[in-house]
Amino acid sequence: MVEANPNYWGEKPEFNTVTLKFLSNPAARSAALLSGAVDVIEQIPPSDISVFQNRQDVALYSVTSTRMIYLAMDQARDDSPFLTDKDGAPLKVTR
């Protein structure tokens, strides 16, 4: 739980306390919001987006992320099927 600092010099927060709950299961996060057990969630499962978009009691925000899950070079083969020229033909490695 996070509590507001009464000695903070800036604008007073709208809440005195905020309780953070870590719900790793995506379905549990959605269910918690729909049941009123929590007020805010992030990382809505793609399958639940339409459920939240059609509700009047939920505000849904979408932002572009710079998060990258995994990036690797295709080094295991001489000719990668993932590299093509402008016409879609595979690029050949020249050494």
Side-chain angles (χ1 to χ4, degrees), residues 5-87:
N5 179 354
N7 299 318
Y8 182 66
W9 58 270
E11 187 176 326
K12 300 296 179 198
E14 294 184 32
F15 306 101
N16 290 326
T17 62
V18 174
T19 302
L20 303 174
K21 296 180 179 182
F22 296 94
L23 304 172
S24 61
N25 182 302
R29 282 195 302 274
S30 293
L33 183 64
L34 293 172
S35 72
V38 299
D39 296 315
V40 177
I41 65 172
E42 66 176 358
Q43 299 178 348
I44 296 171
S47 60
D48 289 350
I49 290 175
S50 63
V51 172
F52 291 109
Q53 284 176 328
N54 296 322
R55 293 183 62 100
Q56 297 296 320
D57 59 340
V58 173
L60 185 64
Y61 297 92
S62 177
V63 296
T64 302
S65 172
T66 58
R67 181 177 181 205
M68 184 182 334
I69 303 298
Y70 183 75
L71 176 67
M73 301 295 289
D74 186 13
Q75 303 177 75
R77 50 188 139 205
D78 288 334
D79 297 319
S80 174
F82 306 110
L83 298 175
T84 61
D85 63 16
K86 291 181 182 180
D87 296 323

